[in-house]
Each structure stands twice: as structure tokens, then as C-alpha cells.
């Protein structure tokens, strides 16, 4: 009897378990296409909602609202609107809903039944994303509307020592990187709060050359002239072309003058002609011959100021148009004459040719004329050339041919004396040049 009771009890327990399991199964089955209780996306309770219902709720509350957000960028009198629709702003709604729908899929029937009967909060976060290429696009528009190069003042000589100066103007430049960083820091998925307004950061660009600085040029501070009356037409043409290239040159404080940079390459296409040029220890014919007189004349005009050369090289043979030790040779691509404007005022260079006289006038501020300068060239040593005579049986007696012209050698010291109120206040050695002796060669006939 006892055994029979145990069997009956077991059957009842089994039937009860089957009934509970069946009930649980059918209860759980009802939620197969529904989101389980207390499953929330951003605190939005989606209990019992189908996938499509959840999409409608979430897209209405989030997706449709976020694209109505905007950022206004203010730039002086202009405004630019960056709508969130322009940047493809969106939440991962579909991904979050799929995550909500799949909650409980890894549970067995009883675990899922418990989650339905006695649920706990399940929070799912939305992530926000956008395409920042639209930010770059609006930045391009603002840059185009904003950026403006500064306008330098210009100076023109209207008559001897009289100048006309045009006005300068500030430029503007959008600080694009700074603005982009600011915009991106404000783009978010927060739906509460007012629209955002950002003031575009714009910096002023000062012109390098201002009218104020150019108006400080009010007097001639130095001048030097040389004569080329004996020059042939080709040499005179070269002097004229290179002088015109330099005429009107403006050097702001700190600027470096480069003869080759200003004059440029001496080519036939630019009108330069063949003329005598010193090459090594000989006088030969070359394109652009004669322009060393231009560089040397300018060099001497600068010598009677306080400005020193950055680069200056003397000839191998002393030149007749300039005192010894006061020349400056140039050769495009090899040798240059350079000086730096170390004044706090601009320098204006005027190059003038009149009746085969070449003059350079240097203009700047009148305060620079408080001192005067004297250039002294001292010949320290002279070495006379020797002449080698070669007998030539192919020439008749009495015939001579100069194979190589001899030139005396010199050691020269050039100094600059500085006077203030007529009183000598200092002497500065500018350079010590050595011109090596060049021996001559002649052939005499013996036939």
C-alpha cells in the first residue's frame, strides 16, 4: 500500500512538472516576437513591443528629432547653419532594437519564464554617429567667404626725392582647425537644450608693408656714381638693363638684397649682349659683360651707410671705374652681392643712368643722416707684373703679339670713417683685398 502511494505521488509530481513546464513554455512562446519586460533603450520601456512597434517609437522619439538639431556659425555679419541632416546624424536604433529583441534568446524556457514573471531592468544605450565630411564642406564655404590677403602699401617715386605712397589694408584668415574642433565638440546626440551658436575665430593679418613705414622714407641717405662713357654698345646695354631691374627696389627692415635675385639671369632672350668680362685672370667676351660695374656702384652707395654686406667678392683684376678694393663682382649662379637692411626703416633704391653716368641713390629716414661716412682705400703693397717673351719664328722681326696682358698685384685695405657733428667717432675696416699679380706673355717675331 505504501509502495502504491509513493508511485501515485511520483506521478502527481511528474504531472505537475509537466503542467508547469507546459504552462511556462506556452507563456514564453507568447513572447517569441515581443521584447521582454523591462527591456529599455535609453530608459524608453519597450516591454511587449514588436520589432516594428519599437522602431516607430524609437525613430519618432530619437531619429526624427535629432535631424532637426542645428549649429549656427556666426562670422561677422554672416551666419552659416549646419543642420544635423547635413551631417547624416543618426543613432544606431536598428542595432539597439535587434539587441532588445534578442534579449533572452540564450535562456532556457524556465530562465526566460522567470525573466518574464519576475523581470529586472535591462538597459540598452544608443550610440550616436555622423559624417564629418559635411563639416569640412561648410568650413570650405566659410574659408572662401572669409579669407582675404593683406594689401601691402606701395611706394613710387614721382620726382627726385618725392614719393607717392598707397594705403595698406589688413587681411583676414579663418582659424579653420580651431573652428572645426569647436564644432565637433558641440555635435552630440543630446536632444534637450537650445540650438548651439558658435562665433567663428578669425585672425587679422597685418600687411608686411604699411603706409606708415613707407612714409618714413623722406630723404636721401647715400649716393654713388660711376661713368661708362668708353663702353661699347653691348656693355652699355647690359648696364642699362640691370640698373632698370634694381631701380625702385624696396627693402623692409630685415630684408636681404640679392643682386642675382633682383636682376635675374643674364640671357640673350632678356636682351643681354656680349661684352668684356673678367674670367679668371683674363678679360674675355661673355653674355652680360659690364654688369659688375652696376653691382660695384651699388656696393659703394651702400658703403656710406651703416649697412654691411652679407656677401661680396672682389674681382681677380682691379677695375678702372672704381677705387681698388671697392668693387663687387657677380656671376649668376656662382657669385652674388648681398646686403641686409639692418635699419628699423625701409630702404628705397633708385638707379639712374644719364649721359653714360650710372648713379644709385639710397633713400630712407632723415634720422639716419645724423652721421656721415668717409670711405678710405689704402694700397698697402704693389707687385709689378713680369713679362715673359717668347720668340716666334713664324712672325717677322718687329712683329709682336700680346698673348696675355700683365696686371700689377695689390694689397688693399678699405676703411669707413664715421663722423657725428663733424667729429670722427670711429673707424671700421670694411675689407682687406688681395689682387694677385698676373704676369704677361708676348710673342716677338724672329723671321
Amino acid at each position: 500500500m505504501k509502495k502504491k502511494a509513493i508511485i501515485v505521488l511520483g506521478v502527481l509530481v511528474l504531472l505537475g512538472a509537466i503542467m508547469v513546464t507546459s504552462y511556462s513554455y506556452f507563456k514564453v512562446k507568447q513572447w517569441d516576437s515581443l521584447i521582454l519586460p523591462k527591456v529599455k533603450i535609453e530608459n524608453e520601456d519597450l516591454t511587449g513591443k514588436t520589432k516594428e512597434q519599437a522602431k516607430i517609437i524609437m525613430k519618432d522619439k530619437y531619429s526624427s528629432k535629432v535631424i532637426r538639431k542645428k549649429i549656427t556659425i556666426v562670422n561677422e555679419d554672416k551666419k552659416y547653419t549646419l543642420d544635423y541632416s547635413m551631417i547624416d546624424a543618426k543613432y544606431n536604433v536598428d542595432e539597439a532594437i535587434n539587441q532588445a529583441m534578442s534579449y533572452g534568446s540564450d535562456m532556457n524556457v524556465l530562465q526566460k519564464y522567470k525573466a518574464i514573471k519576475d523581470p529586472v531592468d535591462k538597459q540598452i544605450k544608443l550610440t550616436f554617429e555622423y559624417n564629418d565630411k559635411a563639416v569640412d564642406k561648410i568650413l570650405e564655404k566659410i574659408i572662401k567667404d572669409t579669407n582675404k590677403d593683406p594689401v601691402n602699401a606701395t611706394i613710387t617715386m614721382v620726382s627726385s626725392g618725392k614719393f607717392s605712397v598707397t594705403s595698406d589694408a589688413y587681411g583676414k584668415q579663418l582659424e579653420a582647425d580651431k573652428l572645426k574642433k569647436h564644432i565637433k565638440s558641440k555635435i552630440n546626440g543630446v536632444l534637450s537644450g537650445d540650438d548651439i551658436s558658435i562665433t567663428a575665430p578669425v585672425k587679422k593679418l597685418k600687411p608686411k608693408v604699411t603706409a606708415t613705414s613707407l612714409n618714413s622714407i623722406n630723404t636721401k641717405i647715400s649716393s654713388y656714381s660711376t661713368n661708362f662713357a668708353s663702353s661699347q654698345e653691348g656693355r652699355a646695354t647690359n648696364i642699362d638693363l640691370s640698373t632698370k631691374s634694381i631701380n625702385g627696389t624696396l627693402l623692409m627692415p630685415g630684408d636681404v638684397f640679392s643682386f642675382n635675385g633682383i636682376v635675374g639671369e643674364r640671357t640673350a632672350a632678356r636682351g643681354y649682349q656680349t661684352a668684356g668680362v673678367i674670367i679668371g685672370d683674363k678679360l674675355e667676351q661673355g653674355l652680360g659683360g659690364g654688369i659688375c660695374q652696376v653691382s660695384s656702384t651699388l656696393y659703394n652707395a651702400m658703403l656710406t651707410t651703416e649697412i654691411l654686406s652679407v656677401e661680396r667678392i672682389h674681382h681677380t683684376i682691379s677695375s678702372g671705374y672704381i677705387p681698388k678694393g671697392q668693387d663687387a663682382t657677380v656671376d649668376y649662379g656662382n657669385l652674388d652681392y648681398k646686403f641686409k637692411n639692418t635699419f628699423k626703416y625701409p630702404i628705397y633704391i633708385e638707379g639712374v643712368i644719364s649721359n653714360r653716368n650710372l648713379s644709385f641713390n639710397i633713400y630712407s629716414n632723415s634720422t639716419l643722416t645724423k652721421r656721415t661716412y668717409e670711405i678710405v682705400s689704402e694700397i698697402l703693397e704693389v707687385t709689378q707684373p713680369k713679362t715673359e717673351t717668347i720668340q716666334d719664328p713664324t712672325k717677322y722681326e718687329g712683329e709682336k703679339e700680346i698673348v696675355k696682358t700683365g696686371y700689377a698685384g695689390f694689397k688693399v685695405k678699405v676703411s669707413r670713417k664715421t663722423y657725428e657733428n663733424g667729429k670722427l667717432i670711429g673707424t671700421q675696416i670694411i675689407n682687406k683685398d688681395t689682387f694677385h699679380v698676373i704676369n704677361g706673355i708676348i710673342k716677338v717675331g724672329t723671321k
Side-chain angles (χ1 to χ4, degrees):
M1 186 69 178
K2 187 176 181 181
K3 185 177 181 182
K4 186 176 180 180
I6 292 171
I7 292 171
V8 171
L9 181 61
V11 170
L12 289 173
V13 171
L14 179 60
L15 287 172
I18 292 171
M19 289 177 66
V20 169
T21 303
S22 297
Y23 176 79
S24 300
Y25 173 79
F26 287 111
K27 188 69 175 177
V28 168
K29 191 70 176 174
Q30 294 173 6
W31 290 83
D32 275 358
S33 59
L34 304 176
I35 297 173
L36 295 185
K38 288 197 175 183
V39 175
K40 301 175 182 178
I41 299 178
E42 295 291 337
N43 286 322
E44 183 67 32
D45 194 340
L46 298 175
T47 299
K49 298 296 188 289
T50 65
K51 186 174 184 178
E52 291 305 316
Q53 288 173 332
K55 278 187 179 181
I56 292 171
I57 292 169
M58 296 306 297
K59 289 188 176 181
D60 180 61
K61 187 167 184 178
Y62 289 92
S63 299
S64 61
K65 288 184 179 179
V66 74
I67 59 174
R68 292 200 291 269
K69 289 186 69 176
K70 63 182 180 180
I71 294 175
T72 302
I73 302 157
V74 181
N75 183 15
E76 295 181 341
D77 58 342
K78 291 187 178 181
K79 291 184 178 181
Y80 304 84
T81 301
L82 182 66
D83 291 317
Y84 272 41
S85 59
M86 296 166 58
I87 59 175
D88 298 327
K90 59 185 176 182
Y91 301 97
N92 64 330
V93 169
D94 291 339
E95 182 184 329
I97 290 174
N98 288 337
Q99 189 179 342
M101 291 295 301
S102 64
Y103 177 68
S105 61
D106 58 344
M107 301 177 184
N108 60 37
V109 172
L110 293 178
Q111 288 172 328
K112 195 168 184 180
Y113 176 74
K114 183 181 179 183
I116 295 168
K117 189 173 182 297
D118 188 19
V120 293
D121 280 353
K122 169 63 178 176
Q123 288 283 357
I124 298 171
K125 301 295 291 181
L126 285 175
T127 58
F128 174 77
E129 58 185 34
Y130 67 95
N131 182 358
D132 66 356
K133 288 184 178 178
V135 178
D136 293 332
K137 191 171 182 179
I138 199 168
L139 282 174
E140 288 175 7
K141 170 66 175 170
I142 301 173
I143 288 171
K144 186 177 179 181
D145 292 346
T146 305
N147 286 10
K148 184 179 180 182
D149 291 333
V151 177
N152 286 328
T154 62
I155 186 168
T156 307
M157 180 174 281
V158 292
S159 62
S160 182
K162 302 294 181 181
F163 297 95
S164 173
V165 175
T166 64
S167 299
D168 58 83
Y170 275 81
K172 296 184 295 182
Q173 185 179 58
L174 179 73
E175 296 183 74
D177 290 342
K178 188 176 180 179
L179 177 57
K180 182 176 182 179
K181 187 177 180 180
H182 195 183
I183 291 172
K184 293 181 74 171
S185 73
K186 297 298 182 182
I187 297 176
N188 57 57
V190 178
L191 295 177
S192 60
D194 298 327
D195 289 329
I196 295 167
S197 180
I198 295 173
T199 300
V202 177
K203 64 181 179 181
K204 292 175 71 176
L205 302 177
K206 185 179 179 181
K208 180 186 176 184
V209 184
T210 65
T212 301
S213 63
L214 294 188
N215 282 322
S216 69
I217 302 175
N218 55 20
T219 193
K220 180 162 58 176
I221 64 169
S222 178
S223 182
Y224 197 85
S225 300
T226 59
N227 181 271
F228 58 99
S230 61
S231 296
Q232 294 182 346
E233 198 59 38
R235 189 175 189 276
T237 296
N238 297 336
I239 290 174
D240 182 66
L241 286 174
S242 53
T243 302
K244 285 179 178 177
S245 296
I246 298 170
N247 182 43
T249 295
L250 175 71
L251 295 176
M252 298 303 291
D255 283 354
V256 174
F257 174 91
S258 164
F259 186 93
N260 287 335
I262 295 292
V263 174
E265 189 173 3
R266 280 68 86 177
T267 64
R270 297 183 62 219
Y272 283 93
Q273 299 183 21
T274 299
V277 59
I278 297 172
I279 299 177
D281 59 359
K282 292 181 181 180
L283 182 64
E284 299 183 6
Q285 295 294 302
L287 200 61
I291 63 168
C292 288
Q293 182 164 349
V294 179
S295 57
S296 296
T297 304
L298 178 59
Y299 172 60
N300 278 267
M302 297 310 302
L303 277 179
T304 50
T305 71
E306 288 187 353
I307 288 178
L308 295 174
S309 302
V310 173
E311 181 179 336
R312 172 262 170 187
I313 298 170
H314 66 84
H315 290 83
T316 52
I317 302 171
S318 63
S319 304
Y321 52 78
I322 213 87
K324 290 178 173 59
Q326 292 177 225
D327 61 321
T329 184
V330 290
D331 179 24
Y332 190 84
N334 296 304
L335 307 175
D336 202 358
Y337 165 51
K338 296 180 181 179
F339 62 88
K340 182 177 182 178
N341 180 8
T342 52
F343 296 144
K344 63 179 181 179
Y345 304 104
I347 291 172
Y348 182 91
I349 302 173
E350 179 191 25
V352 181
I353 291 179
S354 176
N355 298 321
R356 294 270 178 133
N357 287 305
L358 163 62
S359 301
F360 278 111
N361 301 312
I362 312 302
Y363 293 87
S364 193
N365 190 260
S366 57
T367 59
L368 300 175
T369 60
K370 290 180 179 179
R371 291 180 175 180
T372 58
Y373 306 91
E374 178 189 2
I375 303 302
V376 179
S377 178
E378 300 176 71
I379 298 176
L380 305 178
E381 184 180 311
V382 180
T383 305
Q384 294 298 334
K386 297 177 181 178
T387 302
E388 179 185 0
T389 302
I390 300 174
Q391 294 185 340
D392 187 350
T394 65
K395 299 181 184 300
Y396 289 102
E397 287 183 0
E399 283 188 73
K400 289 184 180 180
E401 177 189 353
I402 299 175
V403 178
K404 185 178 179 182
T405 302
Y407 296 93
F410 298 92
K411 286 187 178 180
V412 185
K413 181 176 75 173
V414 177
S415 304
R416 178 165 60 200
K417 293 184 176 182
T418 302
Y419 297 87
E420 193 169 291
N421 299 321
K423 182 181 179 181
L424 178 66
I425 62 171
T427 301
Q428 180 183 20
I429 297 175
I430 301 299
N431 59 265
K432 289 183 178 180
D433 291 345
T434 299
F435 296 86
H436 296 289
V437 65
I438 299 172
N439 294 320
I441 301 173
I442 63 170
K443 287 184 179 180
V444 297
T446 60
K447 183 171 154 182

